[in-house]
Amino acid sequence: MKRHDIYTLPILIWLSLFFTIPLSITVIMSFMSSTPYGGVTLPFTVGNYVEIMKGRILAILWRTIRISALSTLITLGLSLPVSFFMATSKWKNLLLMATIIPFWTNFIIRIFAWIFLLGNNGMLNNILIQLGIVKNPITFLYNSWAVVVVIVYTYLPYMILPIYSAMEKFDFSMIDAAMDLGATKIRAIFKVMFPSIKGGITAGILFVFIPALGSYAIPELVGGRDSVMLGNLIAWEITTARNWPYATALSNILFVSTALALFLYLKIQGSDGK
Amino acid sequence: MTVIVLIFLYAPIMFLVIFSFNSSVTGANWMGFTLKWYGELFLRSPDIWEGFKNSLIVAVFSSLTATFIGTMAAIGIHWYKPSFRRYINFNIYAPLIIPDILMGVSMLMLFVSMRIRLSLFTIYLAHTTFSLSYVVLVVLARLENFDSSLLEAAMDLGASEFQTVRRVIIPMALPGIIASFLLSFTLSIDDFIITFFVAGPGSTTLPLRIFSMIRFGLSPVVNALSTILVGGAILLTLLGRKFLKYILAGEG
């Protein structure tokens, strides 16, 4: 230990106690078995993982990845033009604040807004019924599309902010320069601007994709039978079934999927940068 | 395109706010102006206020703790090449990139295996933990602007290390420190999923309370509450405007 380590000692202790040790406990517990009364017991076993690989869990894992990837793609598609417009706009500070306000509005309230709009007793159904267009409410929610829309809605600022932040540092006269040298506008954007905002795009994709993988509240509130995600399963195992070893095994699967996604992404990102 | 996205971002919230003044009980069918849901919210919703109080207590204490420990760590990392640097870095970056639900589950497993009763205190521990990484990054981003010559100058002029930290480093880093406090506070007030796992009976926070209220349908009282929370977000955005660029610097 060096004398100056005193500065980092508190964080070292805190994060060891409340991050590294809990993660280790989670890994260890996933190799144990549950007792009928909600406890855990030895000996060590891989039974939980075998159980997961056998059943319908793989389908849920695959669906979780699909829903997250689709939401991330849509979010990216919306964020690129919006960030571009914001970064080149006269009112960029105003637009920036306009994106931050929903970001700082409570997460659960933002989900509630969609239940209010599209729910069976929601606003849209009320209007449709009053106009006589339909007799009975249409079920807009409680399917995987609703889950995708609400994920896009709640995580959009997480994608816009890093991309905007990268674009804002970009010198837009470079695009004009490239065009003066004969590049088309599309080509100029791809070849000149894209490389310098790539970091922002990577950050945005990770900020949306990873929390989406761990979604619980959104599929719980606006999803249905066809949109149960890994997070719902984990929560169910913990709160209702009280099978901790099984729940931690599921968590570890989510952890490995996240690490894999991160690794693959950084690999792709690294290779086309050369 | 930007206009469409802005409408997409704002329309759902706007309708929530407008219909909080609607006198219909079903909530989504306009029946005339009323303030009764606000009356209901302020006078007859002790559960919501209990949750609000809990959220506030946790947010204040966890962001103070995280800002203090995180700022110290950022100073140490930036100037003093600490031992176990890789391990410290892992602990700072990993919480940012794993899904929150994992953090919730693993903290619950810690508390369960250590037989720690779930309460506001366990929520405080969890919130401080996830805020720490953000604090370190935001303060570090601010410190990047200053190199070691500044410290040497202060020391050469006879300042002790403590004086240097108090009189030179802290004032310089202050915008970053305030920004990280605001960020931690917001993250804590807003957190649902981690709190969901580490909260015990009697320690329900506001997001947990709203979650259980809306789980089984619409409630005009939640609309009224939304108006207030959206108002809070606008106020926070306006107040925090000066510090926004420091937060973005840390995240970028």
Side-chain angles (χ1 to χ4, degrees), chain B residues 148-252:
Chain B
S148 60
S149 60
L150 209 74
L151 291 196
E152 285 154 17
M155 299 283 213
D156 286 348
L157 292 170
S160 68
E161 188 174 326
F162 178 70
Q163 283 173 324
T164 312
V165 169
R166 204 171 64 101
R167 297 284 182 82
V168 181
I169 299 180
I170 302 283
M172 263 171 14
L174 200 60
I177 296 174
I178 296 174
S180 62
F181 176 82
L182 285 177
L183 185 62
S184 310
F185 190 88
T186 321
L187 289 170
S188 168
I189 284 272
D190 202 36
D191 180 72
F192 169 75
I193 189 68
I194 296 175
T195 316
F196 176 79
F197 287 104
V198 300
S203 59
T204 305
T205 61
L206 189 59
L208 292 186
R209 174 64 60 203
I210 305 171
F211 179 78
S212 59
M213 284 178 79
I214 65 175
R215 203 165 189 177
F216 302 107
L218 300 176
S219 151
V221 179
V222 178
N223 283 53
L225 179 62
S226 306
T227 308
I228 291 170
L229 291 176
V230 172
I234 294 174
L235 203 70
L236 200 65
T237 310
L238 292 175
L239 287 177
R241 194 165 42 169
K242 266 166 63 185
F243 300 102
L244 191 62
K245 64 172 187 231
Y246 301 106
I247 292 176
L248 289 176
E251 294 195 339

Side-chain angles (χ1 to χ4, degrees), chain A residues 1-8 10-12 14-23 25-26 29 77-79 81-83 85-86 95-117 121-124 126-127 130 149 152-153 156-158 160-162 164-165 169 203 206-207 210-211 213-217 220-221 230-232 234-235 238-239 244 247-248 250-252 254-256 258 262, chain B residues 1-2 5-6 8-13 15-16 19 26-30 65 69-70 72-73 75-77 80-84 87-88 90-92 94-103 105-114 124-125 128-129 132-133 136 161 165 182-183 186-187 189-190 192-193 196-197 206-208 210-211 214-215 217-219 222-223 225-226 229-230 233-234 236-238 240-241 244 247-249 251-252:
Chain A
M1 290 287 275
K2 295 182 289 189
R3 192 174 66 87
H4 288 306
D5 284 350
I6 189 81
Y7 289 100
T8 39
I11 205 169
L12 191 72
W14 189 287
L15 289 179
S16 297
L17 278 180
F18 300 117
F19 185 71
T20 314
I21 293 178
L23 269 189
I25 292 177
T26 307
M29 209 180 262
L78 291 174
S79 301
V82 171
S83 313
F85 180 82
M86 280 169 67
L95 287 169
L96 182 61
M97 299 233 298
T99 342
I100 303 272
I101 290 170
F103 176 71
W104 275 1
T105 301
N106 188 281
F107 171 67
I108 301 292
I109 291 290
R110 282 182 287 160
I111 304 174
F112 177 63
W114 285 91
I115 302 175
F116 179 77
L117 266 186
N121 297 315
M123 207 182 79
L124 190 60
N126 265 295
I127 293 173
Q130 279 190 346
V149 169
V152 169
Y153 179 73
L156 195 56
Y158 291 79
I160 294 180
L161 292 177
Y164 163 80
S165 182
K169 291 185 196 107
L206 295 179
F207 286 169
I210 291 176
L213 276 183
S215 292
Y216 162 73
E220 188 74 19
L221 291 171
L230 204 51
N232 304 86
I234 294 173
I238 285 184
T239 57
W244 285 326
T248 48
L250 287 171
S251 306
N252 289 331
L254 178 61
F255 184 46
V256 171
T258 310
L262 201 67
Chain B
M1 186 71 184
T2 308
V5 169
L6 281 178
F8 174 65
L9 280 177
Y10 279 90
I13 303 179
F15 287 124
L16 272 191
F19 278 81
T26 57
N29 197 359
W30 187 262
T65 314
I69 297 179
M72 269 181 80
I75 293 172
I77 292 168
Y80 300 115
K81 309 278 170 285
S83 318
F84 313 113
Y87 176 71
I88 293 174
F90 164 79
N91 273 294
I92 290 170
L96 292 173
I97 51 179
I98 67 169
D100 284 351
I101 192 169
L102 279 179
M103 218 154 147
V105 170
S106 62
M107 291 212 83
L108 174 65
M109 292 309 137
L110 172 81
F111 297 141
V112 165
S113 32
M114 298 296 143
Y124 156 81
L125 293 176
T128 306
T129 307
L132 269 174
S133 309
V136 174
E161 188 174 326
V165 169
L182 285 177
L183 185 62
T186 321
L187 289 170
I189 284 272
D190 202 36
F192 169 75
I193 189 68
F196 176 79
F197 287 104
L206 189 59
L208 292 186
I210 305 171
F211 179 78
I214 65 175
R215 203 165 189 177
L218 300 176
S219 151
V222 178
N223 283 53
L225 179 62
S226 306
L229 291 176
V230 172
I234 294 174
L236 200 65
T237 310
L238 292 175
R241 194 165 42 169
L244 191 62
I247 292 176
L248 289 176
E251 294 195 339

Side-chain angles (χ1 to χ4, degrees), chain B residues 132-151:
Chain B
L132 269 174
S133 309
Y134 292 94
V135 173
V136 174
L137 292 192
V138 171
V139 177
L140 259 183
R142 172 71 183 163
L143 293 179
E144 303 279 280
N145 302 328
F146 307 99
D147 62 17
S148 60
S149 60
L150 209 74
L151 291 196

Side-chain angles (χ1 to χ4, degrees), chain A residues 217-257:
Chain A
I218 296 173
E220 188 74 19
L221 291 171
V222 302
R225 278 175 171 282
D226 76 324
S227 44
V228 173
M229 291 171 75
L230 204 51
N232 304 86
L233 206 58
I234 294 173
W236 191 82
E237 289 294 341
I238 285 184
T239 57
T240 312
R242 294 197 155 265
N243 187 340
W244 285 326
Y246 193 64
T248 48
L250 287 171
S251 306
N252 289 331
I253 300 260
L254 178 61
F255 184 46
V256 171
S257 319

Side-chain angles (χ1 to χ4, degrees), chain A residues 6-112:
Chain A
I6 189 81
Y7 289 100
T8 39
L9 192 64
I11 205 169
L12 191 72
I13 295 173
W14 189 287
L15 289 179
S16 297
L17 278 180
F18 300 117
F19 185 71
T20 314
I21 293 178
L23 269 189
S24 316
I25 292 177
T26 307
V27 172
I28 296 169
M29 209 180 262
S30 72
F31 290 103
M32 293 165 77
S33 317
S34 67
T35 63
Y37 302 105
V40 288
T41 180
L42 289 166
F44 288 114
T45 161
V46 290
N48 299 309
Y49 291 97
V50 173
E51 190 66 29
I52 289 170
M53 288 307 156
K54 269 201 311 222
R56 64 199 171 93
I57 310 303
L58 278 184
I60 292 181
L61 178 65
W62 173 231
R63 175 195 297 145
T64 304
I65 294 172
R66 231 172 36 217
I67 290 180
S68 309
L70 181 63
S71 315
T72 309
L73 268 178
I74 298 174
T75 316
L76 180 65
L78 291 174
S79 301
L80 282 171
V82 171
S83 313
F84 185 84
F85 180 82
M86 280 169 67
T88 49
S89 162
K90 273 189 296 205
W91 309 297
K92 58 170 129 182
N93 285 328
L94 193 72
L95 287 169
L96 182 61
M97 299 233 298
T99 342
I100 303 272
I101 290 170
F103 176 71
W104 275 1
T105 301
N106 188 281
F107 171 67
I108 301 292
I109 291 290
R110 282 182 287 160
I111 304 174
F112 177 63

